[in-house]
């Protein structure tokens, strides 16, 4: 019987899994999210909408396949996204184009955002990994949020 993965081996496996999920396997992301959330992924993502102000600019960090970004744009909100994965960014852009919406998906990392200071009224990340707690990410969020932003 195989031994369970622990410690460094488990971390290495998860790093490899997520690296491929966000790149070469990006096309499977929605199915994986649905399965791992036991069908609750849409409800979890919708919960974020209650916390996002209805006015002003919103930045979504790591929009993945763009479902929340699409919802925000369909509601007429000024939403932007920052996605490190080329494949995920392209899936988000295609999703928005199918609805004839602008595609404000920038490629980049949360730790070095390509946006002006005090530009956003809110920043949201619905499925952040460890990057969300990095000092550089938090510093960039503070920098790009306007005073009083959330």
């Amino acid at each position: 019987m195989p031994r369970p993965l622990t410690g460094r081996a488990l971390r290495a496996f998860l790093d490899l899994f997520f690296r491929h999920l966000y790149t070469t396997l990006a096309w499977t992301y929605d199915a994986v999210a649905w399965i791992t959330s036991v069908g609750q992924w849409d409800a979890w993502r919708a919960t974020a909408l209650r916390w996002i102000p209805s006015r002003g600019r919103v930045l979504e960090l790591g929009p993945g396949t763009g479902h929340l970004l699409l919802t925000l744009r369909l509601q007429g909100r000024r939403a932007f996204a920052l996605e490190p994965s080329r494949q995920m960014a392209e899936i988000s852009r295609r999703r928005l184009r199918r609805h004839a919406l602008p595609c404000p998906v920038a490629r980049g990392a949360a730790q070095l955002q390509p946006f002006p200071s005090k530009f956003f009224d809110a920043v949201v990340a619905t499925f952040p990994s460890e990057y969300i707690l990095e000092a550089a990410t938090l510093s960039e969020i503070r920098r790009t949020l306007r005073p009083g932003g959330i």
Side-chain angles (χ1 to χ4, degrees), residues 4 15-16 38 82 84 97-98 121:
D15 285 347
L16 179 67
V38 194
L82 182 61
R97 282 193 297 265
R98 280 195 299 268
D121 298 277

Side-chain angles (χ1 to χ4, degrees), residues 9-36:
L10 178 59
R11 179 62 186 193
F13 169 77
L14 290 174
D15 285 347
L16 179 67
F17 172 77
F18 283 111
R19 190 172 335 117
H20 283 289
L21 181 62
Y22 300 141
T23 58
T24 57
L25 298 173
W27 59 274
T28 69
Y29 182 85
D30 286 340
V32 170
W34 189 88
I35 290 167
T36 58

Side-chain angles (χ1 to χ4, degrees), residues 123-140:
V123 176
V124 63
T126 57
F127 189 70
S129 56
E130 65 274 357
Y131 75 85
I132 200 69
L133 297 176
E134 291 179 14
T137 300
L138 297 174
S139 176
E140 281 294 274

Side-chain angles (χ1 to χ4, degrees), residues 27-107:
W27 59 274
T28 69
Y29 182 85
D30 286 340
V32 170
W34 189 88
I35 290 167
T36 58
S37 70
V38 194
Q40 296 301 304
W41 188 244
D42 291 338
W44 293 351
R45 193 175 41 244
T47 300
L49 289 171
R50 291 187 297 216
W51 299 96
I52 301 171
S54 58
R55 293 187 181 155
R57 293 185 195 102
V58 177
L59 171 62
E60 183 179 7
L61 295 175
T65 57
H67 290 281
L68 181 61
L69 182 62
L70 173 63
T71 299
L72 292 167
R73 281 284 169 164
L74 286 172
Q75 292 176 350
R77 300 188 199 197
R78 295 185 302 170
F80 301 80
L82 182 61
E83 173 60 57
S85 163
R86 178 181 55 79
Q87 293 89 339
M88 294 293 242
E90 187 51 37
I91 291 170
S92 291
R93 289 183 189 115
R94 276 194 307 252
R95 186 174 307 284
L96 291 164
R97 282 193 297 265
R98 280 195 299 268
H99 292 270
L101 293 168
C103 303
V105 181
R107 286 270 324 285

